[in-house]
């Protein structure tokens, strides 16, 4: 929902109306406004994903221009490059960058676009350099995706650069794959279907009307975020409600987290959240309590173990 720099000093919020970024300090005070709508240098049309890199630069993927745009917030400079066109397209809003490499979730157009029932055969993560060139791929889609009744089988992932681990799941999945960031080998595969993770028992194909999709989706759950903390691995689960489809307010969904031990990968339980997760950083939950632009507010929460 928003990005946090690794030193917790900068927050980046994307304004979809004005097509620019608001850069704030940790107290919400606006420090900079970055970019504007347009096709020119440093301008944006449709932001799919963004994140701070290890040097505090804001890395943005503009889906409509199919370009990477890297903003140096210190001196105000920027660089931009067209992303190499390959057999992959980017399939979700997650992006991570470190040490000159950018990680994006991909789908092989030969499977996902032409034969969606074979999407599970696709590679999972594309690794690009800052010039937009594809350098490598990591992992495959979870094979259980083929058993899903939902067409929204996009990857959800997070990278812990200190542990050198990549954690991945999928929207309709509760299982988690773990990959070594250096060898790209899968080192773990686990997951528990918690009490509030409801999967569709009937097919939800993409060609249905919006009303039919909404009707079939009420009560279903989706993994929408995965976060690495010092002791725990967290999966954010959203359960769709009829009220959400009426209001389009994300806080009208039911929100839960599945909590896993970082070392054993044992599921320790499920916790209900009062609001949607905006981000998780440095063992802190940032929950969006009100997303109204006139009264936008973020609550800061900690996870405590009950004894």
């Amino acid at each position: 929902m928003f990005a946090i720099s690794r030193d917790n000093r900068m927050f980046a919020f994307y304004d979809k109306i004005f097509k620019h970024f608001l850069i704030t300090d940790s107290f919400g005070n606006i420090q900079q406004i970055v970019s504007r709508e347009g096709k020119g240098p440093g301008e944006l049309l449709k932001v799919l994903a963004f994140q701070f890199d290890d040097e505090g630069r804001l890395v943005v993927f503009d889906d409509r221009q199919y370009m990477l745009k890297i903003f140096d917030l210190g001196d105000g400079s920027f660089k931009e490059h067209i992303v190499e066109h390959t057999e992959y397209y980017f399939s979700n809003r997650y992006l991570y960058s470190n040490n000159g490499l950018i990680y994006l979730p991909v789908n092989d157009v030969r499977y996902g676009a032409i034969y969606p029932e074979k999407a599970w055969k696709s590679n999972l993560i594309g690794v690009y350099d800052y010039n937009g060139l594809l350098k490598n791929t990591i992992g495959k889609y979870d094979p259980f995706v083929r058993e899903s009744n939902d067409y929204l089988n996009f990857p959800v992932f997070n990278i812990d650069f200190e542990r050198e681990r990549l954690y991945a799941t999928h929207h309709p999945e509760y299982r988690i794959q773990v990959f070594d960031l250096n060898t790209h080998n899968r080192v773990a595969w686990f997951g528990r279907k918690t009490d509030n993770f409801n999967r569709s028992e009937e097919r939800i194909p993409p060609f249905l009307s919006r009303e039919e999709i909404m009707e079939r989706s009420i009560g279903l759950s989706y993994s929408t975020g995965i976060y690495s903390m010092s002791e725990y691995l967290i999966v954010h689960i959203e359960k769709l409600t009829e009220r959400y489809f009426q209001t389009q307010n994300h806080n009208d969904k039911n929100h839960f987290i599945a909590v896993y031990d970082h070392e054993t990968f044992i599921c320790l339980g499920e916790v209900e959240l009062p609001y949607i997760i905006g981000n998780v950083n440095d063992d802190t939950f940032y929950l969006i309590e009100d997303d109204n632009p006139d009264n936008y507010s973020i609550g800061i929460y900690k996870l405590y173990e009950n004894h």
Side-chain angles (χ1 to χ4, degrees):
M1 302 291 286
F2 55 84
I4 305 175
S5 64
R6 298 188 195 180
D7 61 6
N8 293 320
R9 297 177 64 181
M10 293 187 295
F11 288 55
F13 301 86
Y14 179 58
D15 188 322
K16 293 182 179 180
I17 297 176
F18 294 102
K19 302 292 192 300
H20 63 212
F21 284 94
L22 299 176
I23 308 300
T24 77
D25 61 19
S26 58
F27 298 100
N29 301 308
I30 297 175
Q31 306 297 304
Q32 296 182 54
I33 296 178
V34 175
S35 191
R36 62 182 180 182
E37 184 175 11
K39 298 181 180 180
E43 296 177 342
L44 301 167
L45 288 179
K46 182 182 178 183
V47 170
L48 177 65
F50 62 95
Q51 188 60 267
F52 288 102
D53 70 4
D54 50 322
E55 296 187 16
R57 294 171 296 193
L58 183 64
V59 180
V60 181
F61 174 67
D62 187 320
D63 191 34
R64 189 161 296 167
Q65 298 185 77
Y66 214 69
M67 297 181 72
L68 287 170
K69 307 215 172 191
I70 299 98
F71 298 92
D72 189 317
L73 303 177
D75 61 16
S77 64
F78 64 89
K79 296 180 181 178
E80 54 188 24
H81 297 279
I82 295 176
V83 177
E84 179 184 10
H85 286 268
T86 65
E87 64 269 28
Y88 301 110
Y89 64 89
F90 302 131
S91 56
N92 215 333
R93 59 182 174 85
Y94 303 94
L95 178 156
Y96 295 91
S97 53
N98 191 69
N99 197 26
L101 295 175
I102 298 170
Y103 302 80
L104 289 155
V106 297
N107 195 311
D108 192 318
V109 67
R110 296 170 298 181
Y111 301 132
I114 303 173
Y115 303 106
E117 71 277 6
K118 296 182 179 180
W120 60 272
K121 291 186 175 183
S122 176
N123 288 331
L124 184 68
I125 305 296
V127 184
Y128 294 79
D129 64 19
Y130 274 44
N131 294 317
L133 300 178
L134 179 65
K135 308 301 290 185
N136 213 328
T137 60
I138 301 176
K140 296 279 188 180
Y141 277 43
D142 190 314
F144 277 94
V145 165
R146 80 180 88 176
E147 299 180 8
S148 171
N149 283 322
D150 202 303
Y151 69 95
L152 293 174
N153 291 311
F154 302 134
V156 177
F157 83 106
N158 196 306
I159 299 179
D160 187 326
F161 289 107
E162 291 186 7
R163 285 187 169 89
E164 299 182 327
R165 291 288 188 264
L166 186 152
Y167 307 94
T169 184
H170 298 265
H171 274 311
E173 259 298 326
Y174 58 87
R175 296 175 181 87
I176 301 165
Q177 298 186 89
V178 184
F179 297 91
D180 184 290
L181 208 56
N182 294 312
T183 66
H184 296 178
N185 292 331
R186 188 172 70 183
V187 296
W189 185 23
F190 60 94
R192 193 184 91 185
K193 186 176 180 295
T194 52
D195 291 342
N196 286 286
F197 198 97
N198 297 333
R199 306 179 73 176
S200 177
E201 296 184 358
E202 61 177 332
R203 190 72 177 164
I204 306 180
F207 55 76
L208 293 178
S209 68
R210 184 175 184 274
E211 289 72 22
E212 290 176 299
I213 291 176
M214 287 168 49
E215 182 179 349
R216 297 191 187 191
S217 298
I218 292 174
L220 298 185
S221 304
Y222 294 91
S223 295
T224 57
I226 186 166
Y227 304 96
S228 178
M229 306 178 76
S230 59
E231 296 184 40
Y232 308 113
L233 190 65
I234 304 294
V235 179
H236 179 206
I237 301 165
E238 295 183 353
K239 184 186 288 186
L240 302 182
T241 66
E242 185 173 1
R243 179 168 175 77
Y244 163 70
F245 287 117
Q246 293 171 349
T247 66
Q248 294 299 297
N249 184 334
H250 290 285
N251 276 332
D252 285 329
K253 303 174 186 175
N254 300 132
H255 298 277
F256 304 88
I257 55 171
V259 183
Y260 293 86
D261 182 273
H262 231 315
E263 300 303 321
T264 65
F265 300 132
I266 292 173
C267 185
L268 303 175
E270 185 180 62
V271 178
E272 186 170 5
L273 300 180
Y275 306 102
I276 187 173
I277 293 179
N279 208 327
V280 177
N281 198 50
D282 196 24
D283 284 1
T284 301
F285 289 82
Y286 296 86
L287 306 186
I288 302 175
E289 297 184 351
D290 191 339
D291 64 358
N292 186 322
D294 295 328
N295 194 37
Y296 193 88
S297 58
I298 297 171
I300 300 175
Y301 296 76
K302 293 284 188 179
L303 182 65
Y304 292 98
E305 184 176 352
N306 291 324
H307 296 280

